[in-house]
Structure formats: C-alpha cells, structure tokens
Amino acid sequence: MFLRDIWYFGTPGEAVGRGAMIRKILLGEPVLIGRTETGEAFALRDICPHRGVPLSAGRLYDAKSSGCGDNAVECPYHGWKFRTDGHCAEIPSLVPGQDVEVSRIRVRRYPVREIQGNIWIYMADEKRADLPPATEPPVMPGFGEVAPNIRETMTFGCHVDHAVIGLMDPAHGPFVHRSWYWRSQKSIHEKAKDFAPSELGFAMVEHAPSSNSFAYKILGGAPRTEISFRLPGIRIERITAGRHRVVGLTCVTPVDEKTTEITQSFYWTMPLLSVLKPVLRPFMRAFLKQDGDMVDLQQEGLRFDPRLMLINDSDVQAKWYHRLKTEWAEAGEQGRPFQNPVKPVTLRWRS
Ligand code: FES
Ligand SMILES: [Fe+2]
C-alpha cells in the first residue's frame, strides 16, 4: 500500500505547457495533469466517468463562451466536457427534456501546487478525497520562485520502499558509486552524524561533509551540508559554501507496485555550475543509473520473497522510514495529529 493524504511530486512544471495535458500513473492511478491557457496547473483522474476513455487523449479548450470557466477538458469519445475542478459541464448528446443532472457527474480532482518549478499532487485517501490538504509541499528556502537549474528523471523497476531506502542508505556509497569523482572503497572511514526529527521525517543536522568527496571540493569555500528526509519519499540536501548555496531535491514517486520514478533536481546560486551544466548532466545520470542498476539486481533476489535485515546503525534511517510511514497511516486512519517517532541521536557507521 502507498501512503495517502500527502503530497507527491507529480511532474516537472516544464513538462506541461499552457493548454496541454499529460497522462501519468501515480500510485497505480491514472492522473491527467494539465495547464490552462492562463497558466494554472490542475489534475484530474484520467478516466472519463462515462465509458472510461482517458480524458488526457481529448482536448483542453477555451470554454469561456460555453460558460464552463476558462478551460474545460473534452473527452474524445462522446465529447463530454469537464471543468478543471472535475465537474461535468456538458453532455452534447442530450436533447431538451432529458433529465440527466449533468453537474452531479464528476471526475476526481486532485489538489495541485506548483512551487519552484515542481508540480505537487495531493493523493488523498478515497474516504477523505473531499477534505482540503492538511499539509503543504516542501519549499527550497532562499530560492524564491525559480525553477531548478538542472534535473534528471529515471524510472526504477522496484517498489517505492526499496527506492527510498536506497536513497537514504549511507553504506552503499563506496560500493555502488565507486567512481574517481565521488569516492573509492579505500576511502572508507568511520563516521558519526547527528540526527534530529524534522518536518514529516528527520534530518542529518548541518555538518562539514566528508572530506573524501571530490564533488564537494569543486564548490570551494568550506562547505556545510544538511540532509533531510520527509515523507512520502523526499530528500533535500542543502549545501552552503562561502556565499553560495546549492540545494538538491530528490523525489521518489510510486508509479505502481513495481515501478518508481526518481526525479533529481538541483537549485544553485553559483554561475560556475550553470556553465558546467553540460558536463554535470552525464554525471547525474551515471549516478542515478548506478542506483537503478543496483535495485534491478536486487529484484533478482526479491523475486523469491526473502526475509531482509536492517542493522544498526547504518540501516537506522531505513527503520525510521518504516516507523514514519506506519505512524502517518495510523494517524490518518484515527484522525489524530501525526507524532514524529524519531528522537535526536548520533549514528555511527563506516562508509
Ligand atoms: S467515454 Fe468519455 S464521453 Fe463517453
Ligand atoms: Fe545511491
């Protein structure tokens, strides 16, 4: 089961132009993500309630003349029209006197926020689909409304939990990302990092990053970094070096039980990094692919449904992830506030 009543990264804002619609599968549900001519993003269940055709295959048109609001979605099969809030506005086949209550026909609408170039979709539990969202999606502090400077998306053939745990796993670096520009197996040394609870998750509190990481060296200055994780699968790494800032946002969104989309975005204030973009992109892809190849390999074992282990301290973050998920689901079911189960602690491991 996937976590509900929470914001998921839906798609990069730049993936949906004005007057366009795209189809995505999120948490096993088909979702139409569209953008009106006036620039506002919206999301609807991508199934026409009449006979099931994907609405995203129809057209998004200017509906002012027909009184459907600025824009409406027209199903390609029988032309039923839906406003961007999901209410049906017109059934073309009806003749006067046929009493179908058109406005009571509705396709599910998902709350949407577009922040700093990211389109977030609120995936409520079916039972609570009409309630307003209780939380807000994350904001990268200090970057105003700008979109990321660079981003890459990759699809992993695994359940979201394995992708998330891979993301926060501190012990795989020297083995999976064994590259001259990152770190080598020889560079393994003992680490002790302080952790604390943070919004919907936990954070490795601000510290000077590992000196064995070449990638940090190109930033210059004396870098400081803080890495936070929040449900449902969002990792934010904030690096400051001198007067410059770099923020890495990694979002893990379940497509279905066996497919997960990873989107990695970077925001920065360093002009040098913008110049280096063509060089950085292949590194980003290579890095993500190293993780992707490992989860593919992991599937070879998981097919046989083995018992797995989480050990101290290197897998404590994975344990927290499971605990956070359980608490989020239980708090939602019981209608009570979420209580973060993470306590401040220092974790030690070699990597
Ligand atoms: S299936 Fe959409 S209008 Fe008939
Ligand atoms: Fe990794």
Side-chain angles (χ1 to χ4, degrees):
M1 288 299 282
F2 302 121
L3 276 197
R4 292 284 173 169
D5 308 312
I6 202 156
W7 294 94
Y8 283 89
F9 178 83
T11 190
E14 67 268 19
V16 196
R18 285 180 186 234
M21 302 186 282
I22 62 166
R23 174 180 168 87
K24 299 275 295 192
I25 307 292
L26 304 177
L27 286 64
E29 290 176 24
V31 178
L32 171 167
I33 305 176
R35 185 186 298 287
T36 64
E37 289 296 347
T38 47
E40 203 184 322
F42 66 94
L44 302 174
R45 183 168 151 91
D46 198 16
I47 302 179
C48 178
H50 181 214
R51 297 260 281 283
V53 164
L55 292 170
S56 59
R59 67 185 182 111
L60 180 62
Y61 71 106
D62 184 342
K64 272 191 233 51
S65 53
S66 50
C68 300
D70 276 347
N71 286 247
V73 177
E74 181 186 78
C75 177
Y77 200 172
H78 312 94
W80 290 24
K81 294 173 181 58
F82 297 88
R83 294 199 310 248
T84 55
D85 66 3
H87 285 275
C88 187
E90 192 192 331
I91 296 181
S93 67
L94 291 179
V95 300
Q98 288 177 338
D99 60 343
V100 177
E101 271 197 79
V102 174
S103 63
R104 290 191 59 179
I105 300 172
R106 217 163 68 137
V107 55
R108 181 170 180 180
R109 176 197 69 108
Y110 301 90
V112 164
R113 300 273 190 277
E114 187 164 11
I115 303 170
Q116 296 170 317
N118 306 309
I119 295 182
W120 299 91
I121 315 268
Y122 188 74
M123 301 296 287
D125 186 276
E126 201 88 49
K127 300 191 284 291
R128 296 179 281 276
D130 288 324
L131 297 179
T135 58
E136 285 299 319
V139 176
M140 308 310 112
F143 283 91
E145 258 312 303
V146 299
N149 296 78
I150 192 168
R151 85 163 114 214
E152 278 295 332
T153 296
M154 222 171 256
T155 303
F156 286 9
C158 67
H159 185 273
V160 64
D161 286 353
H162 291 294
V164 170
I165 287 172
L167 193 69
M168 59 178 54
D169 173 2
H172 76 291
F175 300 92
V176 173
H177 305 295
R178 197 185 295 169
S179 324
W180 62 266
Y181 59 88
W182 192 245
R183 49 187 66 169
S184 70
Q185 229 179 307
K186 276 195 249 89
S187 72
I188 292 184
H189 64 273
E190 186 177 323
K191 294 181 182 152
K193 306 277 187 198
D194 297 332
F195 286 81
S198 62
E199 194 183 356
L200 301 186
F202 53 86
M204 182 191 288
V205 300
E206 200 192 74
H207 62 282
S210 309
S211 52
N212 60 5
S213 169
F214 172 78
Y216 285 122
K217 287 187 188 147
I218 62 167
L219 292 174
R224 307 277 303 165
T225 175
E226 184 210 69
I227 303 172
S228 64
F229 171 81
R230 59 184 274 163
L231 292 175
I234 297 156
R235 180 187 191 269
I236 299 173
E237 177 160 9
R238 296 168 57 186
I239 305 161
T240 48
R243 59 197 174 82
H244 285 298
R245 276 169 294 124
V246 178
V247 172
L249 166 70
T250 311
C251 300
V252 180
T253 301
V255 176
D256 57 32
E257 286 292 329
K258 293 201 153 148
T259 322
T260 301
E261 202 170 78
I262 321 287
T263 303
Q264 190 162 47
S265 314
F266 284 96
Y267 297 77
W268 57 59
T269 59
M270 291 180 82
L272 171 68
L273 287 177
S274 298
V275 177
L276 289 176
K277 230 154 91 168
V279 186
L280 292 173
R281 195 175 286 283
F283 282 116
M284 252 174 103
R285 288 201 68 79
F287 203 82
L288 276 174
K289 193 172 175 305
Q290 287 169 336
D291 287 314
D293 287 348
M294 189 48 67
V295 298
D296 284 348
L297 191 57
Q298 186 185 29
Q299 290 307 308
E300 296 295 322
L302 296 183
R303 283 199 291 143
F304 301 94
D305 202 19
R307 269 186 68 107
L308 304 176
M309 298 164 71
L310 294 174
I311 65 161
N312 289 340
D313 280 356
S314 58
D315 296 333
V316 166
Q317 296 176 74
K319 292 184 189 180
W320 286 342
Y321 168 64
H322 285 303
R323 252 180 253 158
L324 285 158
K325 267 185 76 175
T326 306
E327 166 59 15
W328 182 262
E330 285 179 4
E333 279 309 311
Q334 295 163 12
R336 60 169 174 81
F338 168 80
Q339 282 181 327
N340 194 323
V342 178
K343 301 277 174 281
V345 69
T346 302
L347 299 180
R348 294 152 64 90
W349 68 84
R350 283 170 52 81
S351 71

